[in-house]
mmCIF file of all heavy atoms in Angstrom:
data_model
loop_
_atom_site.group_PDB
_atom_site.id
_atom_site.type_symbol
_atom_site.label_atom_id
_atom_site.label_comp_id
_atom_site.label_asym_id
_atom_site.label_seq_id
_atom_site.Cartn_x
_atom_site.Cartn_y
_atom_site.Cartn_z
ATOM 1 N N SER A 1 1.227 2.204 11.657
ATOM 2 C CA SER A 1 2.181 1.878 10.597
ATOM 3 C C SER A 1 1.464 1.778 9.255
ATOM 4 O O SER A 1 1.949 2.265 8.237
ATOM 5 C CB SER A 1 2.876 0.551 10.897
ATOM 6 O OG SER A 1 3.629 0.646 12.073
ATOM 7 N N LYS A 2 0.307 1.141 9.282
ATOM 8 C CA LYS A 2 -0.486 0.990 8.062
ATOM 9 C C LYS A 2 -0.911 2.365 7.545
ATOM 10 O O LYS A 2 -0.850 2.630 6.339
ATOM 11 C CB LYS A 2 -1.718 0.142 8.379
ATOM 12 C CG LYS A 2 -2.412 -0.426 7.182
ATOM 13 C CD LYS A 2 -3.628 -1.206 7.639
ATOM 14 C CE LYS A 2 -3.664 -2.598 7.101
ATOM 15 N NZ LYS A 2 -4.915 -3.279 7.397
ATOM 16 N N MET A 3 -1.312 3.248 8.450
ATOM 17 C CA MET A 3 -1.729 4.597 8.077
ATOM 18 C C MET A 3 -0.574 5.351 7.424
ATOM 19 O O MET A 3 -0.761 6.022 6.398
ATOM 20 C CB MET A 3 -2.228 5.354 9.310
ATOM 21 C CG MET A 3 -2.738 6.726 9.004
ATOM 22 S SD MET A 3 -4.225 6.648 8.026
ATOM 23 C CE MET A 3 -5.237 7.786 8.889
ATOM 24 N N GLY A 4 0.618 5.223 7.990
ATOM 25 C CA GLY A 4 1.788 5.883 7.419
ATOM 26 C C GLY A 4 2.088 5.381 6.019
ATOM 27 O O GLY A 4 2.357 6.168 5.101
ATOM 28 N N THR A 5 2.038 4.072 5.842
ATOM 29 C CA THR A 5 2.300 3.478 4.530
ATOM 30 C C THR A 5 1.251 3.918 3.517
ATOM 31 O O THR A 5 1.584 4.306 2.389
ATOM 32 C CB THR A 5 2.313 1.942 4.636
ATOM 33 O OG1 THR A 5 3.296 1.558 5.589
ATOM 34 C CG2 THR A 5 2.616 1.302 3.304
ATOM 35 N N CYS A 6 -0.010 3.867 3.907
ATOM 36 C CA CYS A 6 -1.084 4.267 2.993
ATOM 37 C C CYS A 6 -0.976 5.754 2.643
ATOM 38 O O CYS A 6 -1.221 6.140 1.500
ATOM 39 C CB CYS A 6 -2.450 3.966 3.607
ATOM 40 S SG CYS A 6 -2.797 2.197 3.743
ATOM 41 N N ASN A 7 -0.607 6.578 3.611
ATOM 42 C CA ASN A 7 -0.440 8.014 3.358
ATOM 43 C C ASN A 7 0.640 8.268 2.316
ATOM 44 O O ASN A 7 0.479 9.112 1.441
ATOM 45 C CB ASN A 7 -0.090 8.756 4.648
ATOM 46 C CG ASN A 7 -1.255 9.495 5.218
ATOM 47 O OD1 ASN A 7 -2.192 9.851 4.519
ATOM 48 N ND2 ASN A 7 -1.207 9.725 6.507
ATOM 49 N N LYS A 8 1.753 7.549 2.425
ATOM 50 C CA LYS A 8 2.831 7.709 1.447
ATOM 51 C C LYS A 8 2.361 7.300 0.063
ATOM 52 O O LYS A 8 2.659 7.963 -0.923
ATOM 53 C CB LYS A 8 4.046 6.867 1.847
ATOM 54 C CG LYS A 8 4.813 7.434 3.012
ATOM 55 C CD LYS A 8 5.971 6.532 3.383
ATOM 56 C CE LYS A 8 6.615 6.985 4.677
ATOM 57 N NZ LYS A 8 7.638 6.039 5.129
ATOM 58 N N ASP A 9 1.631 6.205 -0.002
ATOM 59 C CA ASP A 9 1.147 5.707 -1.290
ATOM 60 C C ASP A 9 0.088 6.624 -1.903
ATOM 61 O O ASP A 9 -0.090 6.641 -3.117
ATOM 62 C CB ASP A 9 0.571 4.298 -1.143
ATOM 63 C CG ASP A 9 1.635 3.280 -0.774
ATOM 64 O OD1 ASP A 9 2.835 3.579 -0.923
ATOM 65 O OD2 ASP A 9 1.254 2.178 -0.346
ATOM 66 N N ALA A 10 -0.610 7.383 -1.067
ATOM 67 C CA ALA A 10 -1.691 8.251 -1.552
ATOM 68 C C ALA A 10 -1.237 9.693 -1.760
ATOM 69 O O ALA A 10 -2.059 10.578 -1.961
ATOM 70 C CB ALA A 10 -2.848 8.223 -0.559
ATOM 71 N N ALA A 11 0.057 9.922 -1.746
ATOM 72 C CA ALA A 11 0.579 11.290 -1.826
ATOM 73 C C ALA A 11 0.130 12.036 -3.076
ATOM 74 O O ALA A 11 -0.093 13.248 -3.041
ATOM 75 C CB ALA A 11 2.098 11.266 -1.749
ATOM 76 N N ASP A 12 -0.034 11.351 -4.189
ATOM 77 C CA ASP A 12 -0.395 12.014 -5.439
ATOM 78 C C ASP A 12 -1.900 12.099 -5.683
ATOM 79 O O ASP A 12 -2.342 12.636 -6.688
ATOM 80 C CB ASP A 12 0.270 11.307 -6.620
ATOM 81 C CG ASP A 12 -0.140 9.841 -6.721
ATOM 82 O OD1 ASP A 12 -0.532 9.257 -5.693
ATOM 83 O OD2 ASP A 12 -0.071 9.287 -7.836
ATOM 84 N N LYS A 13 -2.686 11.590 -4.759
ATOM 85 C CA LYS A 13 -4.143 11.567 -4.927
ATOM 86 C C LYS A 13 -4.796 12.687 -4.112
ATOM 87 O O LYS A 13 -4.269 13.115 -3.104
ATOM 88 C CB LYS A 13 -4.696 10.211 -4.490
ATOM 89 C CG LYS A 13 -4.198 9.066 -5.353
ATOM 90 C CD LYS A 13 -4.547 7.722 -4.751
ATOM 91 C CE LYS A 13 -4.133 6.553 -5.568
ATOM 92 N NZ LYS A 13 -2.842 6.568 -6.173
ATOM 93 N N LYS A 14 -5.964 13.138 -4.565
ATOM 94 C CA LYS A 14 -6.678 14.205 -3.856
ATOM 95 C C LYS A 14 -8.174 13.922 -3.844
ATOM 96 O O LYS A 14 -8.679 13.176 -4.676
ATOM 97 C CB LYS A 14 -6.428 15.548 -4.533
ATOM 98 C CG LYS A 14 -4.992 16.011 -4.432
ATOM 99 C CD LYS A 14 -4.807 17.375 -5.039
ATOM 100 C CE LYS A 14 -3.345 17.759 -4.884
ATOM 101 N NZ LYS A 14 -3.086 19.097 -5.321
ATOM 102 N N GLY A 15 -8.855 14.539 -2.893
ATOM 103 C CA GLY A 15 -10.314 14.496 -2.834
ATOM 104 C C GLY A 15 -10.896 13.107 -2.671
ATOM 105 O O GLY A 15 -10.421 12.304 -1.861
ATOM 106 N N ASP A 16 -11.935 12.831 -3.441
ATOM 107 C CA ASP A 16 -12.651 11.553 -3.351
ATOM 108 C C ASP A 16 -11.769 10.374 -3.738
ATOM 109 O O ASP A 16 -11.897 9.286 -3.188
ATOM 110 C CB ASP A 16 -13.900 11.570 -4.229
ATOM 111 C CG ASP A 16 -14.976 12.496 -3.676
ATOM 112 O OD1 ASP A 16 -14.940 12.786 -2.465
ATOM 113 O OD2 ASP A 16 -15.852 12.924 -4.456
ATOM 114 N N GLU A 17 -10.876 10.607 -4.698
ATOM 115 C CA GLU A 17 -9.966 9.534 -5.109
ATOM 116 C C GLU A 17 -9.087 9.115 -3.931
ATOM 117 O O GLU A 17 -8.880 7.933 -3.673
ATOM 118 C CB GLU A 17 -9.086 10.007 -6.268
ATOM 119 C CG GLU A 17 -8.115 8.949 -6.758
ATOM 120 C CD GLU A 17 -7.126 9.466 -7.800
ATOM 121 O OE1 GLU A 17 -7.047 10.695 -8.020
ATOM 122 O OE2 GLU A 17 -6.439 8.623 -8.388
ATOM 123 N N ARG A 18 -8.594 10.108 -3.187
ATOM 124 C CA ARG A 18 -7.747 9.822 -2.015
ATOM 125 C C ARG A 18 -8.547 9.099 -0.929
ATOM 126 O O ARG A 18 -8.074 8.150 -0.332
ATOM 127 C CB ARG A 18 -7.142 11.108 -1.465
ATOM 128 C CG ARG A 18 -6.240 10.873 -0.262
ATOM 129 C CD ARG A 18 -5.683 12.186 0.275
ATOM 130 N NE ARG A 18 -4.973 11.985 1.505
ATOM 131 C CZ ARG A 18 -3.707 11.621 1.601
ATOM 132 N NH1 ARG A 18 -3.008 11.406 0.509
ATOM 133 N NH2 ARG A 18 -3.130 11.454 2.770
ATOM 134 N N LYS A 19 -9.772 9.587 -0.686
ATOM 135 C CA LYS A 19 -10.631 8.947 0.322
ATOM 136 C C LYS A 19 -10.858 7.478 -0.007
ATOM 137 O O LYS A 19 -10.750 6.605 0.853
ATOM 138 C CB LYS A 19 -11.995 9.642 0.398
ATOM 139 C CG LYS A 19 -12.056 10.812 1.294
ATOM 140 C CD LYS A 19 -13.502 11.299 1.338
ATOM 141 C CE LYS A 19 -13.674 12.522 2.162
ATOM 142 N NZ LYS A 19 -15.051 12.994 2.167
ATOM 143 N N ALA A 20 -11.195 7.210 -1.258
ATOM 144 C CA ALA A 20 -11.453 5.835 -1.684
ATOM 145 C C ALA A 20 -10.193 4.988 -1.555
ATOM 146 O O ALA A 20 -10.239 3.846 -1.071
ATOM 147 C CB ALA A 20 -11.960 5.813 -3.118
ATOM 148 N N PHE A 21 -9.058 5.547 -1.957
ATOM 149 C CA PHE A 21 -7.802 4.805 -1.871
ATOM 150 C C PHE A 21 -7.459 4.491 -0.416
ATOM 151 O O PHE A 21 -7.084 3.364 -0.083
ATOM 152 C CB PHE A 21 -6.659 5.602 -2.511
ATOM 153 C CG PHE A 21 -5.334 4.931 -2.331
ATOM 154 C CD1 PHE A 21 -4.942 3.909 -3.187
ATOM 155 C CD2 PHE A 21 -4.477 5.282 -1.297
ATOM 156 C CE1 PHE A 21 -3.725 3.264 -3.018
ATOM 157 C CE2 PHE A 21 -3.268 4.646 -1.113
ATOM 158 C CZ PHE A 21 -2.892 3.635 -1.981
ATOM 159 N N MET A 22 -7.574 5.490 0.462
ATOM 160 C CA MET A 22 -7.243 5.296 1.877
ATOM 161 C C MET A 22 -8.162 4.254 2.512
ATOM 162 O O MET A 22 -7.713 3.417 3.291
ATOM 163 C CB MET A 22 -7.322 6.618 2.642
ATOM 164 C CG MET A 22 -6.222 7.598 2.291
ATOM 165 S SD MET A 22 -4.578 7.018 2.696
ATOM 166 C CE MET A 22 -4.599 7.171 4.478
ATOM 167 N N LYS A 23 -9.440 4.301 2.177
ATOM 168 C CA LYS A 23 -10.391 3.333 2.723
ATOM 169 C C LYS A 23 -9.986 1.920 2.318
ATOM 170 O O LYS A 23 -9.937 1.011 3.145
ATOM 171 C CB LYS A 23 -11.803 3.639 2.237
ATOM 172 C CG LYS A 23 -12.842 2.716 2.805
ATOM 173 C CD LYS A 23 -14.234 3.101 2.335
ATOM 174 C CE LYS A 23 -15.250 2.136 2.908
ATOM 175 N NZ LYS A 23 -16.599 2.438 2.470
ATOM 176 N N GLU A 24 -9.682 1.744 1.048
ATOM 177 C CA GLU A 24 -9.278 0.435 0.528
ATOM 178 C C GLU A 24 -7.949 -0.014 1.151
ATOM 179 O O GLU A 24 -7.804 -1.148 1.586
ATOM 180 C CB GLU A 24 -9.145 0.496 -0.996
ATOM 181 C CG GLU A 24 -8.727 -0.802 -1.626
ATOM 182 C CD GLU A 24 -9.803 -1.868 -1.551
ATOM 183 O OE1 GLU A 24 -10.991 -1.513 -1.499
ATOM 184 O OE2 GLU A 24 -9.451 -3.062 -1.555
ATOM 185 N N CYS A 25 -7.002 0.905 1.202
ATOM 186 C CA CYS A 25 -5.682 0.586 1.724
ATOM 187 C C CYS A 25 -5.740 0.197 3.204
ATOM 188 O O CYS A 25 -5.130 -0.790 3.620
ATOM 189 C CB CYS A 25 -4.756 1.783 1.539
ATOM 190 S SG CYS A 25 -3.054 1.487 2.054
ATOM 191 N N LEU A 26 -6.465 0.967 4.000
ATOM 192 C CA LEU A 26 -6.533 0.695 5.438
ATOM 193 C C LEU A 26 -7.348 -0.549 5.768
ATOM 194 O O LEU A 26 -7.142 -1.165 6.807
ATOM 195 C CB LEU A 26 -7.101 1.906 6.184
ATOM 196 C CG LEU A 26 -6.179 3.131 6.192
ATOM 197 C CD1 LEU A 26 -6.908 4.317 6.781
ATOM 198 C CD2 LEU A 26 -4.898 2.846 6.943
ATOM 199 N N SER A 27 -8.267 -0.917 4.884
ATOM 200 C CA SER A 27 -9.069 -2.109 5.151
ATOM 201 C C SER A 27 -8.431 -3.366 4.566
ATOM 202 O O SER A 27 -8.921 -4.463 4.799
ATOM 203 C CB SER A 27 -10.482 -1.939 4.606
ATOM 204 O OG SER A 27 -10.452 -1.844 3.202
ATOM 205 N N ALA A 28 -7.353 -3.195 3.825
ATOM 206 C CA ALA A 28 -6.667 -4.351 3.221
ATOM 207 C C ALA A 28 -6.125 -5.267 4.318
ATOM 208 O O ALA A 28 -5.672 -4.817 5.364
ATOM 209 C CB ALA A 28 -5.531 -3.868 2.333
ATOM 210 N N LYS A 29 -6.189 -6.532 4.073
ATOM 211 C CA LYS A 29 -5.740 -7.527 5.036
ATOM 212 C C LYS A 29 -4.223 -7.708 4.965
ATOM 213 O O LYS A 29 -3.562 -7.146 4.110
ATOM 214 C CB LYS A 29 -6.429 -8.875 4.773
ATOM 215 C CG LYS A 29 -7.925 -8.797 4.842
ATOM 216 C CD LYS A 29 -8.384 -8.554 6.253
ATOM 217 C CE LYS A 29 -9.893 -8.505 6.305
ATOM 218 N NZ LYS A 29 -10.428 -7.563 7.200
ATOM 219 N N ALA A 30 -3.687 -8.512 5.815
ATOM 220 C CA ALA A 30 -2.248 -8.763 5.875
ATOM 221 C C ALA A 30 -1.730 -9.441 4.613
ATOM 222 O O ALA A 30 -0.550 -9.434 4.339
ATOM 223 C CB ALA A 30 -1.922 -9.612 7.092
ATOM 224 N N ASP A 31 -2.624 -10.046 3.814
ATOM 225 C CA ASP A 31 -2.206 -10.713 2.587
ATOM 226 C C ASP A 31 -1.500 -9.755 1.643
ATOM 227 O O ASP A 31 -0.542 -10.130 0.975
ATOM 228 C CB ASP A 31 -3.405 -11.336 1.870
ATOM 229 C CG ASP A 31 -4.032 -12.462 2.680
ATOM 230 O OD1 ASP A 31 -3.349 -13.015 3.566
ATOM 231 O OD2 ASP A 31 -5.209 -12.777 2.416
ATOM 232 N N ALA A 32 -1.972 -8.530 1.581
ATOM 233 C CA ALA A 32 -1.345 -7.545 0.708
ATOM 234 C C ALA A 32 0.081 -7.281 1.162
ATOM 235 O O ALA A 32 0.980 -7.141 0.348
ATOM 236 C CB ALA A 32 -2.149 -6.254 0.714
ATOM 237 N N LYS A 33 0.277 -7.224 2.464
ATOM 238 C CA LYS A 33 1.618 -7.009 2.998
ATOM 239 C C LYS A 33 2.507 -8.208 2.674
ATOM 240 O O LYS A 33 3.654 -8.046 2.285
ATOM 241 C CB LYS A 33 1.553 -6.784 4.512
ATOM 242 C CG LYS A 33 2.884 -6.426 5.122
ATOM 243 C CD LYS A 33 2.745 -6.115 6.595
ATOM 244 C CE LYS A 33 4.075 -5.721 7.185
ATOM 245 N NZ LYS A 33 3.987 -5.435 8.599
ATOM 246 N N ALA A 34 1.965 -9.401 2.804
ATOM 247 C CA ALA A 34 2.730 -10.600 2.497
ATOM 248 C C ALA A 34 3.103 -10.613 1.023
ATOM 249 O O ALA A 34 4.220 -10.993 0.661
ATOM 250 C CB ALA A 34 1.936 -11.843 2.870
ATOM 251 N N THR A 35 2.201 -10.179 0.170
ATOM 252 C CA THR A 35 2.472 -10.119 -1.255
ATOM 253 C C THR A 35 3.602 -9.136 -1.524
ATOM 254 O O THR A 35 4.501 -9.412 -2.310
ATOM 255 C CB THR A 35 1.205 -9.695 -2.026
ATOM 256 O OG1 THR A 35 0.168 -10.615 -1.720
ATOM 257 C CG2 THR A 35 1.442 -9.670 -3.504
ATOM 258 N N GLN A 36 3.567 -7.983 -0.877
ATOM 259 C CA GLN A 36 4.604 -6.968 -1.040
ATOM 260 C C GLN A 36 5.952 -7.513 -0.566
ATOM 261 O O GLN A 36 6.972 -7.295 -1.206
ATOM 262 C CB GLN A 36 4.235 -5.689 -0.294
ATOM 263 C CG GLN A 36 5.215 -4.554 -0.491
ATOM 264 C CD GLN A 36 5.250 -4.014 -1.906
ATOM 265 O OE1 GLN A 36 4.340 -4.228 -2.689
ATOM 266 N NE2 GLN A 36 6.309 -3.330 -2.252
ATOM 267 N N GLN A 37 5.947 -8.217 0.554
ATOM 268 C CA GLN A 37 7.190 -8.796 1.065
ATOM 269 C C GLN A 37 7.729 -9.845 0.102
ATOM 270 O O GLN A 37 8.930 -9.904 -0.148
ATOM 271 C CB GLN A 37 6.959 -9.416 2.444
ATOM 272 C CG GLN A 37 6.760 -8.390 3.532
ATOM 273 C CD GLN A 37 6.364 -9.026 4.848
ATOM 274 O OE1 GLN A 37 5.911 -10.161 4.891
ATOM 275 N NE2 GLN A 37 6.531 -8.284 5.926
ATOM 276 N N THR A 38 6.861 -10.642 -0.451
ATOM 277 C CA THR A 38 7.270 -11.659 -1.423
ATOM 278 C C THR A 38 7.862 -10.987 -2.653
ATOM 279 O O THR A 38 8.896 -11.413 -3.168
ATOM 280 C CB THR A 38 6.064 -12.529 -1.827
ATOM 281 O OG1 THR A 38 5.502 -13.099 -0.655
ATOM 282 C CG2 THR A 38 6.465 -13.617 -2.789
ATOM 283 N N LYS A 39 7.207 -9.929 -3.101
ATOM 284 C CA LYS A 39 7.673 -9.184 -4.261
ATOM 285 C C LYS A 39 9.070 -8.608 -3.991
ATOM 286 O O LYS A 39 9.951 -8.659 -4.839
ATOM 287 C CB LYS A 39 6.689 -8.045 -4.534
ATOM 288 C CG LYS A 39 6.551 -7.690 -5.996
ATOM 289 C CD LYS A 39 5.680 -6.470 -6.178
ATOM 290 C CE LYS A 39 4.226 -6.785 -6.294
ATOM 291 N NZ LYS A 39 3.433 -5.605 -6.701
ATOM 292 N N MET A 40 9.240 -8.060 -2.782
ATOM 293 C CA MET A 40 10.518 -7.464 -2.396
ATOM 294 C C MET A 40 11.627 -8.514 -2.408
ATOM 295 O O MET A 40 12.726 -8.265 -2.920
ATOM 296 C CB MET A 40 10.406 -6.817 -1.017
ATOM 297 C CG MET A 40 11.656 -6.106 -0.588
ATOM 298 S SD MET A 40 11.995 -4.691 -1.625
ATOM 299 C CE MET A 40 11.934 -3.418 -0.425
ATOM 300 N N LYS A 41 11.327 -9.694 -1.862
ATOM 301 C CA LYS A 41 12.324 -10.764 -1.834
ATOM 302 C C LYS A 41 12.702 -11.185 -3.252
ATOM 303 O O LYS A 41 13.884 -11.342 -3.570
ATOM 304 C CB LYS A 41 11.791 -11.974 -1.064
ATOM 305 C CG LYS A 41 11.732 -11.764 0.425
ATOM 306 C CD LYS A 41 11.147 -12.971 1.128
ATOM 307 C CE LYS A 41 10.971 -12.706 2.603
ATOM 308 N NZ LYS A 41 10.338 -13.830 3.296
ATOM 309 N N THR A 42 11.718 -11.355 -4.103
ATOM 310 C CA THR A 42 11.967 -11.767 -5.484
ATOM 311 C C THR A 42 12.792 -10.720 -6.219
ATOM 312 O O THR A 42 13.768 -11.052 -6.907
ATOM 313 C CB THR A 42 10.636 -11.998 -6.225
ATOM 314 O OG1 THR A 42 9.872 -12.949 -5.507
ATOM 315 C CG2 THR A 42 10.869 -12.482 -7.634
ATOM 316 N N CYS A 43 12.421 -9.461 -6.067
ATOM 317 C CA CYS A 43 13.149 -8.387 -6.744
ATOM 318 C C CYS A 43 14.579 -8.286 -6.225
ATOM 319 O O CYS A 43 15.502 -8.030 -7.005
ATOM 320 C CB CYS A 43 12.423 -7.054 -6.558
ATOM 321 S SG CYS A 43 10.838 -6.967 -7.423
ATOM 322 N N ASN A 44 14.770 -8.482 -4.924
ATOM 323 C CA ASN A 44 16.119 -8.444 -4.358
ATOM 324 C C ASN A 44 16.999 -9.534 -4.955
ATOM 325 O O ASN A 44 18.166 -9.303 -5.259
ATOM 326 C CB ASN A 44 16.082 -8.598 -2.833
ATOM 327 C CG ASN A 44 16.047 -7.272 -2.131
ATOM 328 O OD1 ASN A 44 16.580 -6.288 -2.608
ATOM 329 N ND2 ASN A 44 15.418 -7.251 -0.980
ATOM 330 N N VAL A 45 16.435 -10.716 -5.121
ATOM 331 C CA VAL A 45 17.191 -11.818 -5.719
ATOM 332 C C VAL A 45 17.556 -11.469 -7.161
ATOM 333 O O VAL A 45 18.696 -11.658 -7.595
ATOM 334 C CB VAL A 45 16.390 -13.146 -5.654
ATOM 335 C CG1 VAL A 45 17.055 -14.224 -6.484
ATOM 336 C CG2 VAL A 45 16.248 -13.599 -4.212
ATOM 337 N N ASP A 46 16.603 -10.938 -7.908
ATOM 338 C CA ASP A 46 16.834 -10.585 -9.306
ATOM 339 C C ASP A 46 17.828 -9.431 -9.460
ATOM 340 O O ASP A 46 18.507 -9.323 -10.486
ATOM 341 C CB ASP A 46 15.518 -10.214 -9.997
ATOM 342 C CG ASP A 46 14.568 -11.402 -10.115
ATOM 343 O OD1 ASP A 46 15.021 -12.550 -9.954
ATOM 344 O OD2 ASP A 46 13.367 -11.169 -10.362
ATOM 345 N N ALA A 47 17.910 -8.562 -8.451
ATOM 346 C CA ALA A 47 18.788 -7.392 -8.525
ATOM 347 C C ALA A 47 20.199 -7.685 -8.026
ATOM 348 O O ALA A 47 21.025 -6.771 -7.953
ATOM 349 C CB ALA A 47 18.178 -6.250 -7.713
#
């Protein structure tokens, strides 16, 4: 699931930039996901 999400986020990147992004994205801890979920909840309330 993480790989799929990171792949979507890296769609516009190529070469070394993509490699670096994927490495960072795949090694990110669950905190980033929690932050995204929090952001989603806040934005939903505001919308």
Side-chain angles (χ1 to χ4, degrees):
S1 297
K2 197 182 233 188
M3 183 67 133
T5 302
C6 291
N7 257 336
K8 286 178 189 174
D9 294 344
D12 59 336
K13 296 169 178 43
K14 294 183 180 185
D16 290 338
E17 180 187 10
R18 181 181 173 85
K19 274 185 183 179
F21 175 82
M22 290 297 287
K23 182 178 179 181
E24 180 69 27
C25 184
L26 292 172
S27 65
K29 301 291 181 217
D31 295 339
K33 185 176 182 181
T35 303
Q36 184 67 18
Q37 288 173 341
T38 304
K39 212 186 272 190
M40 184 66 119
K41 287 178 185 177
T42 304
C43 292
N44 267 329
V45 170
D46 294 344

